[in-house]
Structure formats: C-alpha cells, structure tokens
Amino acid sequence: MTFDHAPFLFGPALLHWVLVFGCFAGIVFSVSVLIALGVYGASGPTAVMGRVWQGLHDFLGISPRRIWAISLLTIKEAVRRKALFVFVVFASLVMFAGWFLESDLRADLQVKNAVSFALTTISWLTLPVVLLLSCWGLPEDIRLRSIHTIVTKPVRRNEIVMGRILGFSIVASLIVSMMGVVGYVWIRRQVPNNAELICRVPVYGELSFLDREGNLTDKGVNTGDIWEFRSYVEGGTRSSAVYKFPMDKVTDNVRFESRFEAFRTHKGRIGQSLLVRYVLVNPTKGLRVPLGSFEVAEFGLNEKDVDRQISFFDEDKNDNRTVDLFDDVVDQNTLTVEVQCLDAGQYLGMARPDMFIRMPDRSFVVGYFKAVVGVLLLSIFLISIGVTSSTFVKGPVSILLTFTVLLVGQGFREFMLKLITGEQKGGGPIESWYRLITHMNDTLQLPDNFGVKLMQSIDNLFMGGLWLVQHLIPDLSYFVMSPYVANGFDVPWSTAMAKCIAMTVGYLVPCLLVGYYSLTLRELEAK
Amino acid sequence: MEKQPVIQIKNLTKIYRDFWGRKKVRALNSLSLEVKKGEVFGLLGPNGSGKTTTMKLLLGLLFPTEGEINVLGKPASDVSKNEWIGYLPEESYLYRFLNAEETLDFYGRLFDMSAQQRKERANQLIEKVGLQNARKRQLKEYSKGMTRRIGLAQALINDPDLVLLDEPTSGLDPLGSRDMKDLIVKLRDEGKSVVMCSHLLADVQDVCDRIAILYAGELKELGSVEDLLKEQHETELLTSKLSPEAVIDIEAVLAKHNAKLLRHGHPTNSLEDLFLKTVQKSQERPGQRYVPTGSEKT
Ligand SMILES: Nc1ncnc2c1ncn2[C@@H]1O[C@H](COP(=O)(O)OP(=O)(O)OP(=O)(O)O)[C@@H](O)[C@H]1O
Ligand SMILES: [Mg+2]
C-alpha cells in the first residue's frame, strides 16, 4: 500500500460535493414533479413545491432538545438491549489473542501484527453491531407502533432521523472508545522489549525528473519493469529525480528518509551498493549544495540527517562554503532536492512516496487513536446509511442494503471506475452500437446530422448518469487507517482524517433529506 | 352561541391500499362531522367500523384518500398542532425498556419542557393515574391496565387542549374506569375538548355530550346523547307505583285526548338500545346514512 494519497482540499471538495448533490437532488426533484404531474395533474407540481417548502420549514425549525430526547432514548434502548456486550466479547478476544499471534517474528513485525490485530478486531466487532442496531431501530419502532406516540407529539420527522443517527453514533463512540483503550493497553503489553511503538510524521513532496541532458520530464527511464510505479534515473549522467518538499517550519535539522530500488545493467563492484547523492537546490539563486554521497540500502531505509548549517565544497567557486538551510536553500517555502545515482550504467528507481522528510515523531497514542477515530467515522457513516434506509425498508432489507454499500465502497468502486472510463472510447453505448453495426471504427468521424446529435446527447446523458452513480459510491477504503499505524506512521490529517470527516458529513446531509422525506411521505403503519 | 369547532372533517374517505397500491379496504366513506370546543365527543361503532382510522387520520398518522381534516384550525399533517394535543393509542405502544418516570420524562422532552417542569408534571401524573408504586419498574413488567394508565399519563403530559382517547377504559378495572370517566369529566370542566371511542356504551352514556355512530365507515347517527335517546314521538311519565285501577283510569284519560298507553313499566331507552337498533337498521338497509338536519350543520 502507499501512504501517500492526494491531500484533501476543502474548496474543490465542496464544489464537487455541491455538483454531485445538486445533480442528484435535481434529478429526484424533476422526477417527482413529473410523477406528480402524471398522477395528480396540474395540482401535482404545486404539491411537490409545497413539500419542498414544508421540508425547508421543518429543517429550520428543528429543536435540539427534541433531537437529544430521541438520541437519549436510542442510547437507552441500545444499552438495555445489551449492545455494549460486544465490548466484553472484544475484551475476552484480546485477552486470549496473545496466544495465537506469533511471537518468534522480527520485533517490528510483531508490533505490526499486534497493532493490526487490535484495530481490525475493533472494526470487525463494531461494524456488525452498528449495522444491526441502526437498521433495526426504526423498523421495530414502526412495527410496534411506538413511533405513533412520538409523531403525535410536536416532533418533526427529520428530528427522528437526526436523533436516531446521533444516538447510535454515541453508542458507537462508547463501544469504540472502550475497545480502543483496552486495545491500547493490550498492544503496550504485547510489544517485545527490543521494539518500540513509533509514529513517524512524513512530509511528502512533488516528484519530477531530469533526463540525462538535464531537461525536465515527468517520468524517468522505463527499465522494462512491468510495474510502472517507479521511474528510474540513469547513473553517472545529469539524470536525476527532483523532489520539491513543502517547508514552512524552521527546525535545527532535517531528516530525509527514502527507499530506492536499484536496477543493474552490470554487476559493478561486488559487495557494494549503488552510490547515491542528494543535491539541495535553490533555483532562484542558482545555488546547488551537494551533500555527501552514500550507499543505498537496497532493501531497507536510507536515513540522512542534514543540519541547518551546511558546509560543502562549492565546485563553481572552488572553495569551501557554509550555507543556511532555511535562509539560503529553501526557496518560497519549498525545499528542492535532486537525487542522483553516481554509478555509471546503473539505474535508481523511485516514486513519489519513496522519499520524505521525517518530522519529529508523534506519540504512538496519537496515531493509534486517530485510527480508532477512523473506525468510529466509518461507523457513523454506516449508521447514517442504515438509519436512512430503515426509513423506507424493513430491518433485514436495510441491513442488506447498508452491507452492500459497505462492500461496494470497500472494493467495488475501482471496478466501476474502470468500467466507466473504459467505455469512453468510441462514444457512449448508443454510439458504440451504431459504430458496431455500421462497421465504423472508433477513429472515423461521424456525419454531422440531427440523428448523430440526438444519439450523442442521449449518450452524454447516459454517461452523466454513470458519472453520478460513480460519484455517489463512497470510497470507504480511506476509513481503514490501521496500515498507517501498523507500519509506524502517523495518520495524516489532510490525506486521511479530513477526507473521512468530509465524506461522513457529505453523506450525512443527503441521508437526512432522504430519511426525512421517506418518513414524511409514508404512513407509519406496519405493512 | 355556536362554539367554535376544534375538529372539522369534511367528506373524509380512507381506502387502505396494499404494497402494490391495490385497494384493500374502504375504512371510511365520505365522513363529515365537527367537534366543538369544550365538549366530550364519543365515536361509537362495531369492531372495524373505522373509529381508530378516524383518530389516526386526525393525527396525521394516516393520509386521507379524499376529503379535508382540520384540527385546531390546522391541517392534520401539520405537526405544530400536536403541541396542544394528547393521544392515547388503542393499545399503549410505549417503550418497554423505560420505567414510568423515564417514559414521562422522555415525552416531556418532546414538548421542550424544562427538567423542573418535567419532574413536577411526571410526579403529578403518576399520582393521578395511580402508579405510585410502580414508578421505577420497566414497562415490560406492567400489566395491561397499568400500561393503559401510563399511556394516559403520557397523553396528558403537555396539559393538552384536545385529548384523543382510543378506547380509554379498555383493560381497566371498574375502579380504573370510574377514575377514567371522572378524569374525562374533569377535563371537560377545565374547558378541554375530548374525543373518545369506546365499545362500553355505559361509559359513553355517562360522559359524552355528543356521539357519532359509525357503521362500516359510514356515519349513521350524530347528535347529543340526550336528543338521540329521547323518542320524539313518545312522552314518558314517571310515577310512583300505580294500582291496576289507576292504570285503567289513566288509559281513559289518554283515550279522551286521542292517545294510547303503549307500555308501562321501567322506562329504559338506553344507549345500548339505540346502538343495537342503529346497527340492526344498517344491516337491513345498507344504503341509509345520517343526514344532517338544520341544527346539525356539518
Ligand atoms: N393498516 C391497515 N391496513 C389495512 N386495513 C386496515 C388497516 N387498519 C385498519 N384497517 C381496516 O379498516 C377498517 C376500520 O378499522 P379500524 O381500526 O378503524 O376499526 P375500529 O372502529 O377502530 O375497530 P375496533 O373497535 O375493533 O377498534 C377495518 O376493516 C380494518 O380491517
Ligand atoms: Mg379501534
């Protein structure tokens, strides 16, 4: 896995959300107007508008006290139904798990196993409970008609949905935090004496390449490796990888960590690794500061510390010089590092996440509990979906539905993406059929007439629909943060936490709307 | 001095549909009636005649197929009217994992009452419905009558202006139903309006000002209890015990005035008679229904 996702940008994300949500709401609205027109005639659309107006009114008039009352009821119900019992299951699982985890592994692997085990167990125990509770609550309330005593009080239907979601979220928080604490204590005891729990904070940069003549390119050399993840720089030439790291804090010392891959075209010196050199560059000042070369650790980690004051031999001036890392080298809050391979005829491979600046470590607790929060966020996400779906279907169906969302969100999304992007060639479905039947290949120009225009606009609509569907499916893999922690990394705020929070909120809003309308438009009779 | 109506129903029809939208039951057929402020209104009818359906429609729990409903001047779908309404469901569907105090506290919160108010009101109501000894017990341990009582307390938590009681006395012991009737009368004395439906005709006769009799979703009788029970074409005399001679004398007097003694004995035209008669008539002549007279504008 890579720990390096694109960072979360609030502005574009919001725009994207508004776009997807707007399309979705627009479609639902137009379809309801059309149906209303068909069923009720001219008064139909007015009625739909009335509903929208009423909805607006109900959302503005919500009362925190009523929502809290329903949350409290939900919590009491869950507690008295002994939902917290799952915590006991967890505690006993964890108590005996030590026997089954291998203890003759390398120390760091033991740590990794223990952390993964604890976090995975927490999510595997929490999610089913959350799924059951949230999908079962409302349908049961409707079946027993206890909901009649609530909706005959001045309770808005959206308050019921909100109260339920809030209540279940609090139950989930209780379960997850208790498990988190027990899990933490257990991990602490599980760690062997010669290992430590670390939480590294990496800062990643942008990667570009210079070819052997020193010209900028996107990609380095392809050495024929089937996996195109890494690009290669050629040794002994001007070819190099250029990392640009964001640098906005001044520190006494900077540590670079990297994992590079060597690709050999000849044996070279037996028993010696490739020689690598970092060159710090300030492009504005034309300053180049070569650091001492080192042998690359081909299957391990290269660590290189750089002090703030750097002494080096300036080849241009033929003199020893001392520069200040932050005053002289860092340019516009960016630190540029060129990575060069010094062995002629050998190649050095790297990708963006292969090199980072390691900031001062955080405490392991911080990283660990961020991952626990990840589980909680996923629970809240599922609760929103579960409660919403349970407003219009019965418990078992609702569970199935929510579970499907979970499955699809975990892996199926990739497949959908390929399907959709794969179809781009040769136009949409109708156009491709047309081309197929008329034996036109997909590079031939279509005639410019009304039929073709019509065909293409229908196709565009269809592709738009697919686009919407694709963007409605959440990517739930972001919520799984245990790999960061298990591998000794902090859970980054921007690329993981912020995304998950945004995703949870982003889905919560439409869920509230759908839940509100389905509770308002249906008779609350058990059918 | 026409009092303003708290409930207005016009041409209300309710058809239950199944999942696929097919018509299943016509539970109410073009029902029109009004309930005035400050009266106790009784809905009567045999099982399945649409009493509960009417109540649920009033509360917006069901949506009318046709017709208009106005409750406290607002459409039935408007939840803000619930601020002044209390509802006792046919069976008490409450949260079984709560105890009496928690139940009342929960419903109090739904009315935005402060903690202090909730506590006071809960104590008062628990006292009123006689559950002092069971206030800390979970509702799942309650007997049927106890559940009814807490259900009633729940309906009165907000000191409502309009109380809808679906078979309030069912499941209550004689003492309980006596209390219930006293309570209803007391509510009326406080100026509240009460709509209740019941099978127990004696109860209805005791407390209701006006009644409506439903049969198969149609309104068959509507009016004040007194008027309905009064036979317009007969006069009733109540005397001390008469000797046979006295009866003959009276017959002679009546003959002089062109009247006839129909029957003598204990004059009992109870609501039960009326009810049975109405139901019987409806069975014999299904098409006939209540036609409003001049005084009963609907
Ligand atoms: N949810 C429902 N779905 C379908 N039909 C229903 C439903 N609820 C009630 N009905 C039907 O509507 C009719 C009226 O029922 P309702 O419950 O209003 O009667 P009721 O007068 O309250 O009877 P009871 O005295 O037994 O309480 C009945 O025929 C009943 O079968
Ligand atoms: Mg009933």
Coordinates of all heavy atoms in Angstrom, one line a residue, chain A residues 60-123:
Chain A
L60 N -35.5 24.2 9.3 CA -35.1 25.4 10.0 C -35.7 25.4 11.4 O -35.1 26.0 12.3 CB -35.6 26.6 9.3 CG -34.9 26.9 8.0 CD1 -35.5 28.1 7.2 CD2 -33.4 27.1 8.2
G61 N -36.8 24.6 11.6 CA -37.4 24.6 12.9 C -37.0 23.5 13.9 O -37.7 23.2 14.8
I62 N -35.9 22.8 13.6 CA -35.6 21.7 14.5 C -35.2 22.2 15.9 O -34.7 23.3 16.1 CB -34.4 20.9 13.9 CG1 -33.2 21.8 13.6 CG2 -34.8 20.1 12.7 CD1 -31.9 21.1 13.3
S63 N -35.5 21.3 16.8 CA -35.2 21.7 18.2 C -34.2 20.7 18.7 O -34.4 19.5 18.8 CB -36.5 21.6 19.0 OG -36.3 21.0 20.3
P64 N -33.1 21.2 19.2 CA -32.0 20.4 19.7 C -32.5 19.5 20.9 O -32.1 18.4 21.1 CB -31.0 21.4 20.2 CG -31.2 22.6 19.5 CD -32.7 22.7 19.2
R65 N -33.4 20.1 21.7 CA -33.9 19.3 22.8 C -34.6 18.1 22.4 O -34.5 17.0 23.0 CB -34.7 20.2 23.7 CG -34.7 19.7 25.2 CD -35.8 20.3 26.0 NE -35.6 21.8 26.1 CZ -35.7 22.5 27.3 NH1 -35.8 21.8 28.4 NH2 -35.6 23.8 27.3
R66 N -35.5 18.2 21.4 CA -36.2 17.0 21.0 C -35.3 16.0 20.3 O -35.4 14.8 20.6 CB -37.3 17.5 20.0 CG -38.5 18.2 20.6 CD -39.6 18.3 19.6 NE -39.3 19.1 18.5 CZ -39.8 20.3 18.3 NH1 -40.5 20.9 19.3 NH2 -39.5 21.0 17.3
I67 N -34.3 16.5 19.5 CA -33.4 15.6 18.9 C -32.6 14.9 20.0 O -32.4 13.6 20.0 CB -32.4 16.4 18.0 CG1 -33.1 17.0 16.9 CG2 -31.3 15.5 17.6 CD1 -32.3 17.8 16.0
W68 N -32.2 15.6 21.0 CA -31.5 15.0 22.1 C -32.3 14.0 22.9 O -31.8 12.9 23.3 CB -30.9 16.1 23.1 CG -30.2 15.5 24.2 CD1 -30.4 15.7 25.5 CD2 -29.0 14.7 24.1 NE1 -29.5 15.0 26.3 CE2 -28.6 14.4 25.4 CE3 -28.3 14.1 23.1 CZ2 -27.5 13.6 25.7 CZ3 -27.2 13.3 23.4 CH2 -26.8 13.0 24.7
A69 N -33.6 14.3 23.0 CA -34.5 13.3 23.7 C -34.5 12.0 22.9 O -34.5 10.9 23.5 CB -35.9 13.9 23.7
I70 N -34.6 12.1 21.6 CA -34.7 10.9 20.8 C -33.3 10.1 20.8 O -33.3 8.9 20.9 CB -35.2 11.2 19.4 CG1 -36.6 11.6 19.5 CG2 -35.0 10.0 18.5 CD1 -37.2 12.2 18.2
S71 N -32.2 10.9 20.8 CA -30.9 10.3 20.9 C -30.8 9.5 22.2 O -30.3 8.4 22.3 CB -29.8 11.3 20.9 OG -30.0 12.2 19.8
L72 N -31.3 10.2 23.3 CA -31.2 9.6 24.6 C -32.0 8.3 24.7 O -31.5 7.3 25.2 CB -31.7 10.6 25.6 CG -31.0 10.7 26.9 CD1 -29.5 11.0 26.7 CD2 -31.6 11.8 27.8
L73 N -33.1 8.3 24.1 CA -34.0 7.1 24.0 C -33.2 6.0 23.3 O -33.2 4.9 23.7 CB -35.3 7.5 23.3 CG -36.3 6.3 23.2 CD1 -37.0 6.2 24.5 CD2 -37.2 6.5 22.0
T74 N -32.6 6.4 22.1 CA -31.9 5.4 21.3 C -30.7 4.8 22.1 O -30.5 3.6 22.1 CB -31.3 6.2 20.1 OG1 -32.4 6.9 19.5 CG2 -30.7 5.2 19.1
I75 N -30.0 5.7 22.9 CA -28.9 5.2 23.6 C -29.4 4.2 24.7 O -28.9 3.1 24.9 CB -28.1 6.3 24.3 CG1 -27.6 7.2 23.2 CG2 -27.0 5.8 25.2 CD1 -27.0 8.5 23.7
K76 N -30.5 4.6 25.4 CA -31.0 3.7 26.5 C -31.4 2.4 25.9 O -31.2 1.4 26.5 CB -32.2 4.4 27.1 CG -31.8 5.2 28.3 CD -33.1 5.7 29.0 CE -32.7 6.8 30.0 NZ -33.8 7.8 30.2
E77 N -32.1 2.5 24.7 CA -32.5 1.3 24.1 C -31.4 0.3 23.8 O -31.4 -0.9 24.1 CB -33.3 1.6 22.8 CG -33.8 0.4 22.1 CD -34.7 0.8 20.9 OE1 -34.6 1.9 20.4 OE2 -35.5 -0.1 20.5
A78 N -30.3 0.9 23.2 CA -29.2 0.1 22.8 C -28.5 -0.5 24.1 O -28.1 -1.7 24.1 CB -28.2 0.9 22.1
V79 N -28.4 0.3 25.1 CA -27.7 -0.1 26.3 C -28.5 -1.2 27.0 O -28.0 -2.3 27.4 CB -27.5 1.0 27.3 CG1 -27.0 0.5 28.6 CG2 -26.5 2.0 26.7
R80 N -29.9 -1.0 27.0 CA -30.7 -2.0 27.7 C -30.9 -3.2 26.9 O -31.2 -4.3 27.4 CB -32.1 -1.4 28.1 CG -31.8 -0.2 29.0 CD -32.9 0.1 29.9 NE -32.4 1.1 30.8 CZ -33.2 2.0 31.4 NH1 -34.5 2.1 31.2 NH2 -32.6 2.9 32.2
R81 N -30.6 -3.1 25.6 CA -30.6 -4.3 24.7 C -29.2 -5.0 24.8 O -28.9 -5.9 24.0 CB -31.0 -4.0 23.3 CG -32.4 -3.8 23.1 CD -32.8 -4.0 21.6 NE -34.2 -3.8 21.4 CZ -34.7 -3.3 20.3 NH1 -33.9 -3.0 19.3 NH2 -36.0 -3.1 20.2
K82 N -28.4 -4.4 25.6 CA -27.1 -5.0 25.9 C -26.2 -5.0 24.6 O -25.4 -5.9 24.4 CB -27.2 -6.4 26.4 CG -28.2 -6.5 27.5 CD -28.1 -7.6 28.4 CE -29.0 -7.5 29.6 NZ -30.4 -7.0 29.4
A83 N -26.2 -3.9 23.9 CA -25.3 -3.7 22.8 C -23.9 -3.6 23.2 O -23.0 -4.0 22.5 CB -25.7 -2.5 21.9
L84 N -23.7 -3.0 24.4 CA -22.3 -2.8 24.9 C -21.7 -4.1 25.2 O -20.5 -4.2 25.5 CB -22.3 -1.9 26.1 CG -22.9 -0.5 25.8 CD1 -22.7 0.4 27.0 CD2 -22.3 0.1 24.6
F85 N -22.5 -5.2 25.2 CA -21.9 -6.5 25.5 C -20.8 -6.9 24.5 O -19.9 -7.6 24.9 CB -23.1 -7.5 25.4 CG -22.7 -8.9 25.9 CD1 -22.5 -9.1 27.2 CD2 -22.5 -9.9 25.0 CE1 -22.2 -10.3 27.7 CE2 -22.2 -11.2 25.4 CZ -22.0 -11.4 26.8
V86 N -20.9 -6.3 23.3 CA -19.8 -6.6 22.3 C -18.5 -6.2 22.9 O -17.5 -6.8 22.5 CB -20.2 -5.9 21.0 CG1 -20.0 -4.4 21.2 CG2 -19.3 -6.4 19.9
F87 N -18.4 -5.3 23.8 CA -17.2 -4.9 24.3 C -16.6 -6.0 25.2 O -15.4 -6.2 25.2 CB -17.4 -3.6 25.2 CG -16.3 -3.4 26.2 CD1 -15.1 -2.9 25.7 CD2 -16.5 -3.6 27.5 CE1 -14.0 -2.7 26.6 CE2 -15.5 -3.3 28.4 CZ -14.2 -2.9 27.9
V88 N -17.4 -6.7 25.8 CA -17.0 -7.9 26.6 C -16.4 -8.9 25.7 O -15.3 -9.5 26.0 CB -18.1 -8.5 27.5 CG1 -17.6 -9.7 28.3 CG2 -18.7 -7.4 28.3
V89 N -17.0 -9.1 24.6 CA -16.5 -10.1 23.6 C -15.1 -9.6 23.1 O -14.2 -10.4 23.1 CB -17.4 -10.1 22.3 CG1 -16.8 -11.0 21.3 CG2 -18.8 -10.6 22.7
F90 N -15.0 -8.3 22.9 CA -13.7 -7.8 22.5 C -12.6 -8.0 23.5 O -11.5 -8.5 23.2 CB -13.8 -6.3 22.2 CG -12.5 -5.7 21.9 CD1 -11.9 -5.9 20.6 CD2 -11.9 -4.8 22.8 CE1 -10.7 -5.3 20.4 CE2 -10.7 -4.2 22.5 CZ -10.1 -4.5 21.3
A91 N -13.0 -7.7 24.7 CA -12.0 -7.8 25.8 C -11.5 -9.3 25.9 O -10.3 -9.5 26.1 CB -12.6 -7.3 27.1
S92 N -12.5 -10.2 25.8 CA -12.0 -11.6 26.0 C -11.2 -12.1 24.8 O -10.3 -12.8 24.9 CB -13.2 -12.5 26.3 OG -14.3 -12.1 25.6
L93 N -11.6 -11.6 23.6 CA -10.9 -12.0 22.4 C -9.4 -11.5 22.6 O -8.5 -12.3 22.3 CB -11.4 -11.3 21.2 CG -12.3 -12.0 20.2 CD1 -12.7 -11.2 19.1 CD2 -11.5 -13.2 19.7
V94 N -9.3 -10.3 23.0 CA -8.0 -9.7 23.1 C -7.1 -10.4 24.2 O -5.9 -10.5 24.1 CB -8.2 -8.2 23.4 CG1 -7.0 -7.6 24.2 CG2 -8.3 -7.4 22.1
M95 N -7.9 -10.8 25.2 CA -7.1 -11.4 26.3 C -6.4 -12.7 25.9 O -5.3 -13.0 26.3 CB -8.1 -11.7 27.4 CG -7.6 -11.3 28.8 SD -8.8 -11.9 30.1 CE -10.3 -11.0 29.7
F96 N -7.1 -13.4 25.0 CA -6.5 -14.7 24.6 C -5.8 -14.6 23.3 O -5.1 -15.6 22.9 CB -7.6 -15.8 24.5 CG -8.3 -16.0 25.8 CD1 -9.6 -15.6 26.0 CD2 -7.6 -16.5 26.9 CE1 -10.3 -15.8 27.2 CE2 -8.2 -16.7 28.1 CZ -9.6 -16.3 28.3
A97 N -5.9 -13.5 22.6 CA -5.3 -13.4 21.3 C -3.8 -13.5 21.3 O -3.2 -14.0 20.4 CB -5.7 -12.1 20.6
G98 N -3.2 -13.1 22.4 CA -1.7 -13.2 22.5 C -1.2 -14.6 22.3 O -0.1 -14.7 21.8
W99 N -2.0 -15.6 22.6 CA -1.5 -16.9 22.5 C -1.4 -17.3 21.0 O -0.6 -18.1 20.6 CB -2.6 -17.9 23.1 CG -2.7 -17.7 24.5 CD1 -2.0 -16.9 25.3 CD2 -3.7 -18.4 25.3 NE1 -2.5 -17.0 26.6 CE2 -3.5 -17.9 26.7 CE3 -4.7 -19.3 25.1 CZ2 -4.3 -18.3 27.7 CZ3 -5.5 -19.8 26.2 CH2 -5.3 -19.3 27.5
F100 N -2.2 -16.7 20.2 CA -2.2 -17.1 18.8 C -1.4 -16.2 17.8 O -1.1 -16.6 16.7 CB -3.7 -17.1 18.3 CG -4.6 -18.0 19.1 CD1 -5.5 -17.4 20.0 CD2 -4.4 -19.3 19.1 CE1 -6.3 -18.2 20.8 CE2 -5.2 -20.1 19.8 CZ -6.1 -19.6 20.7
L101 N -1.0 -15.1 18.3 CA -0.1 -14.2 17.5 C 1.3 -14.8 17.6 O 1.8 -15.1 18.7 CB -0.2 -12.8 18.0 CG -1.5 -12.1 17.7 CD1 -1.4 -10.6 18.1 CD2 -1.8 -12.1 16.2
E102 N 2.0 -14.9 16.5 CA 3.3 -15.5 16.5 C 4.3 -14.6 17.3 O 4.3 -13.4 17.1 CB 3.9 -15.6 15.1 CG 3.2 -16.8 14.3 CD 3.7 -16.8 12.9 OE1 4.9 -17.3 12.8 OE2 3.0 -16.4 12.0
S103 N 5.1 -15.2 18.2 CA 5.9 -14.3 19.0 C 7.4 -14.5 18.6 O 8.3 -13.9 19.1 CB 5.8 -14.7 20.4 OG 6.0 -16.0 20.6
D104 N 7.7 -15.4 17.5 CA 9.1 -15.6 17.2 C 9.4 -14.8 15.9 O 10.4 -15.1 15.2 CB 9.4 -17.1 16.9 CG 8.3 -17.7 16.1 OD1 7.3 -17.0 15.7 OD2 8.5 -18.9 15.7
L105 N 8.6 -13.8 15.6 CA 8.8 -13.0 14.4 C 9.8 -11.9 14.8 O 10.2 -11.7 16.0 CB 7.5 -12.3 14.0 CG 6.5 -13.2 13.2 CD1 5.3 -12.4 13.0 CD2 7.1 -13.6 11.9
R106 N 10.3 -11.2 13.7 CA 11.1 -10.0 14.0 C 10.3 -9.0 14.8 O 9.1 -8.9 14.7 CB 11.5 -9.3 12.7 CG 12.9 -9.3 12.4 CD 13.2 -8.8 11.0 NE 12.4 -7.7 10.6 CZ 12.0 -7.6 9.3 NH1 12.3 -8.5 8.4 NH2 11.3 -6.5 9.0
A107 N 11.0 -8.3 15.6 CA 10.3 -7.4 16.6 C 9.4 -6.4 15.9 O 8.2 -6.3 16.3 CB 11.3 -6.6 17.4
D108 N 9.8 -5.8 14.8 CA 8.9 -4.8 14.2 C 7.7 -5.4 13.6 O 6.6 -4.9 13.5 CB 9.7 -3.9 13.2 CG 10.3 -4.8 12.1 OD1 10.6 -5.9 12.3 OD2 10.4 -4.2 10.9
L109 N 7.9 -6.7 13.1 CA 6.7 -7.4 12.5 C 5.7 -7.8 13.6 O 4.5 -7.8 13.4 CB 7.1 -8.6 11.8 CG 7.7 -8.4 10.4 CD1 8.1 -9.7 9.8 CD2 6.8 -7.6 9.6
Q110 N 6.2 -8.1 14.8 CA 5.4 -8.4 15.9 C 4.5 -7.2 16.3 O 3.3 -7.3 16.5 CB 6.2 -8.8 17.2 CG 6.6 -10.2 17.2 CD 7.2 -10.6 18.5 OE1 6.6 -10.3 19.5 NE2 8.4 -11.2 18.5
V111 N 5.2 -6.0 16.3 CA 4.5 -4.8 16.6 C 3.4 -4.6 15.5 O 2.2 -4.3 15.9 CB 5.4 -3.6 16.6 CG1 4.6 -2.3 16.6 CG2 6.4 -3.7 17.7
K112 N 3.8 -4.8 14.3 CA 2.8 -4.6 13.2 C 1.6 -5.5 13.3 O 0.5 -5.1 13.2 CB 3.5 -4.9 11.9 CG 2.8 -4.5 10.7 CD 3.7 -4.6 9.4 CE 2.8 -4.6 8.2 NZ 3.7 -4.4 7.0
N113 N 1.9 -6.7 13.7 CA 0.8 -7.7 13.8 C -0.1 -7.3 15.0 O -1.4 -7.4 14.8 CB 1.3 -9.1 14.1 CG 1.8 -9.8 12.8 OD1 1.5 -9.2 11.7 ND2 2.4 -10.9 12.9
A114 N 0.5 -6.9 16.1 CA -0.3 -6.6 17.2 C -1.2 -5.4 16.9 O -2.4 -5.4 17.2 CB 0.6 -6.3 18.4
V115 N -0.7 -4.4 16.3 CA -1.5 -3.2 16.1 C -2.6 -3.5 15.1 O -3.7 -3.1 15.3 CB -0.5 -2.0 15.5 CG1 -1.4 -0.8 15.1 CG2 0.5 -1.6 16.6
S116 N -2.2 -4.2 14.0 CA -3.2 -4.6 13.0 C -4.3 -5.4 13.6 O -5.5 -5.2 13.4 CB -2.6 -5.4 11.9 OG -1.7 -4.7 11.2
F117 N -3.9 -6.3 14.5 CA -4.9 -7.2 15.1 C -5.9 -6.4 15.9 O -7.1 -6.6 15.8 CB -4.2 -8.3 15.9 CG -5.2 -9.1 16.7 CD1 -5.9 -10.2 16.1 CD2 -5.5 -8.9 18.0 CE1 -6.8 -10.9 16.7 CE2 -6.5 -9.6 18.7 CZ -7.1 -10.7 18.0
A118 N -5.4 -5.5 16.8 CA -6.2 -4.8 17.7 C -7.2 -3.9 16.8 O -8.4 -3.9 17.1 CB -5.4 -3.9 18.6
L119 N -6.7 -3.2 15.9 CA -7.5 -2.2 15.1 C -8.5 -3.0 14.3 O -9.7 -2.6 14.1 CB -6.7 -1.3 14.3 CG -5.9 -0.2 15.1 CD1 -4.9 0.5 14.3 CD2 -7.0 0.7 15.7
T120 N -8.1 -4.1 13.7 CA -9.0 -4.8 12.8 C -10.1 -5.4 13.6 O -11.3 -5.4 13.2 CB -8.2 -5.9 12.1 OG1 -7.1 -5.4 11.5 CG2 -9.1 -6.5 10.9
T121 N -9.8 -6.0 14.8 CA -10.8 -6.6 15.7 C -11.8 -5.5 16.1 O -13.0 -5.8 16.1 CB -10.1 -7.2 16.9 OG1 -9.0 -8.0 16.5 CG2 -11.1 -8.1 17.6
I122 N -11.3 -4.3 16.4 CA -12.2 -3.3 16.8 C -13.2 -3.0 15.7 O -14.4 -3.0 15.9 CB -11.4 -2.0 17.2 CG1 -10.7 -2.2 18.4 CG2 -12.4 -0.8 17.3 CD1 -9.8 -1.0 18.8
S123 N -12.7 -2.9 14.5 CA -13.7 -2.6 13.4 C -14.6 -3.8 13.1 O -15.8 -3.6 12.8 CB -13.0 -2.0 12.2 OG -12.0 -2.9 11.7

